[in-house]
Amino acid sequence: MAKSKVLVVGGTGYIGKRIVKASLAQGHETYVLQRPEIGLDIDKLQMLLSFKKQGARLIEGSFSDHRSLVDAVKKVDVVICTMSGVHFRSHNILLQLKLVEAIKEAGNIKRFLPSEFGMDPARMDHALEPGKVTFDEKMTVRKAIEDAKIPFTYVSANCFAGYFVGNLSQLGSLTPPMEKVNLYGDGNVKVVFMDEDDIATYTIKTIDDPQTLNKTVYIRPSENILTQRQIVEMWEKLIGKKLEKLSISEEDFLASMEGMDYASQVGVGHFYHIFYEGCLTNFEVGEEAEEASKLYPDVQYVRMDEYLKQYL
């Protein structure tokens, strides 16, 4: 079967650049949307040019120009959107509604993967404010996709290792502490941690797979289902010493939101659901969904003890 042609929207972003690389590596003709809105952002332009060197094709299109989006979509079989949905970077989830309109008009797309890649928003209707907005907006996009009868795959990739493992899941930093570490409660709630390149690899594998059509795919391989305490212990083993552990109660953690800026409040809410409620692992992957590592056992995913070694 011929491999699908892929358009990546948001290709210069954190996950987007990895999706472009994985698409090329798996032999797909890969297009990246080049938006005039990048203006004088030389880093983004140079990244786009580097994609071109690797074999990707750049295609101009703007969210403020519907016709340009339709024309871009018509060149491919699959559209993957990776626009940011985190408030401390840029939050553009609802811009995808314009992309949905373009896909609907083009009428040729075999699969659309909207910007998800975190917790499954369908399971987060009870989420705390103000962080609930992320899930509500993703569900708005899902409704538009399904109302337009566009074939889809939703990817729930859980916790990005760059933001949750390197820092031992500490808020406000990206590198591991060497003396003291905050534990959420007893630190024993099960979480799923994933290397971002592996997320991209699994994502690209779904696009031509009939088993993932109109389904949610959870990326949660068994060896990466770990507690925060286990991540801390892996780091302690690597550095050869014990860290002082400070347990934060659920009440104190939620109380810490008071007086924080909006983006920080969103982050604290999401951390609460992950590390206190266990929202990533407190359900079974049912028949209406798929688990990526079972579908694609050939993927040699990075284990988190290996991941942590780069911080030594």
Side-chain angles (χ1 to χ4, degrees):
M1 190 173 74
K3 287 180 179 279
S4 288
K5 297 176 186 176
V6 178
L7 171 66
V8 183
V9 180
T12 59
Y14 185 66
I15 287 295
K17 63 190 176 193
R18 292 171 166 87
I19 295 277
V20 173
K21 184 179 155 194
S23 180
L24 289 167
Q26 292 181 42
H28 293 273
E29 192 173 307
T30 306
Y31 294 77
V32 184
L33 193 70
Q34 180 175 345
R35 295 160 60 200
E37 289 85 356
I38 66 170
L40 297 177
D41 191 332
I42 189 75
D43 291 334
K44 284 190 176 178
L45 177 64
Q46 289 182 342
M47 195 184 299
L48 288 166
L49 294 174
S50 78
F51 292 154
K52 199 172 167 184
K53 266 188 188 167
Q54 294 164 50
R57 304 179 187 200
L58 304 183
I59 183 165
E60 290 202 3
S62 170
F63 280 89
S64 56
D65 179 356
H66 174 70
R67 181 51 43 200
S68 72
L69 286 182
V70 174
D71 290 345
V73 165
K74 280 186 173 173
K75 287 186 164 60
V76 299
D77 310 300
V78 171
V79 177
I80 303 175
C81 187
T82 60
M83 297 176 73
S84 176
V86 291
H87 286 80
F88 62 87
R89 286 168 80 102
S90 57
H91 187 80
N92 297 317
I93 294 296
L94 290 182
L95 257 186
Q96 293 180 99
L97 295 174
K98 295 188 174 184
L99 191 54
V100 171
E101 284 303 310
I103 291 169
K104 185 178 172 183
E105 183 175 324
N108 64 305
I109 290 303
K110 294 193 293 195
R111 198 81 64 99
F112 177 41
L113 283 68
S115 188
E116 299 240 348
F117 306 106
M119 301 177 229
D120 180 1
R123 295 184 174 274
M124 299 306 296
D125 192 44
H126 64 291
L128 296 172
E129 298 289 1
K132 189 173 185 288
V133 64
T134 307
F135 311 116
D136 289 347
E137 290 185 357
K138 286 180 177 180
M139 291 307 290
T140 298
V141 173
R142 283 190 180 193
K143 184 176 187 306
I145 292 166
E146 291 169 30
D147 286 352
K149 297 190 168 38
I150 295 166
F152 64 84
T153 298
Y154 303 139
V155 177
S156 174
N158 300 299
C159 287
F160 297 169
Y163 285 109
F164 287 88
V165 175
N167 56 2
L168 311 186
S169 303
Q170 305 301 285
L171 275 161
S173 71
L174 291 173
T175 52
M178 297 301 288
E179 303 296 334
K180 294 180 181 176
V181 63
N182 291 321
L183 290 180
Y184 304 111
D186 60 11
N188 288 326
V189 170
K190 289 203 179 297
V191 181
V192 188
F193 302 100
M194 286 302 302
D195 177 277
E196 291 85 344
D197 290 328
D198 291 343
I199 290 169
T201 298
Y202 281 122
T203 297
I204 294 298
K205 281 190 168 287
T206 70
I207 63 178
D208 283 329
D209 186 349
Q211 297 172 96
T212 60
L213 179 62
N214 296 337
K215 284 188 176 178
T216 297
V217 174
Y218 296 98
I219 306 179
R220 55 177 203 183
S222 57
E223 288 192 44
N224 283 8
I225 300 173
L226 301 160
T227 66
Q228 185 198 8
R229 190 178 282 274
Q230 284 175 302
I231 294 285
V232 171
E233 286 167 358
M234 285 174 179
W235 179 243
E236 288 176 330
K237 191 174 175 185
L238 286 171
I239 62 171
K241 77 175 207 183
K242 295 285 183 190
L243 302 184
E244 184 186 341
K245 296 171 187 69
L246 308 168
S247 176
I248 305 173
S249 72
E250 196 170 321
E251 296 73 26
D252 286 349
F253 188 72
L254 289 175
S256 73
M257 287 171 77
E258 200 171 325
M260 281 184 175
D261 61 69
Y262 183 83
S264 299
Q265 286 185 12
V266 168
V268 167
H270 292 179
F271 265 62
Y272 169 78
H273 293 297
I274 293 166
F275 291 104
Y276 290 93
E277 185 182 278
C279 69
L280 304 180
T281 58
N282 62 4
F283 62 93
E284 293 298 318
V285 176
E287 288 179 12
E288 73 292 345
E290 298 287 349
E291 198 285 301
S293 69
K294 289 181 179 162
L295 288 179
Y296 316 114
D298 54 310
V299 175
Q300 297 298 307
Y301 63 90
V302 176
R303 274 61 169 178
M304 292 302 109
D305 51 349
E306 280 298 312
Y307 186 89
L308 276 167
K309 286 179 182 175
Q310 67 188 307
Y311 296 92
L312 289 171

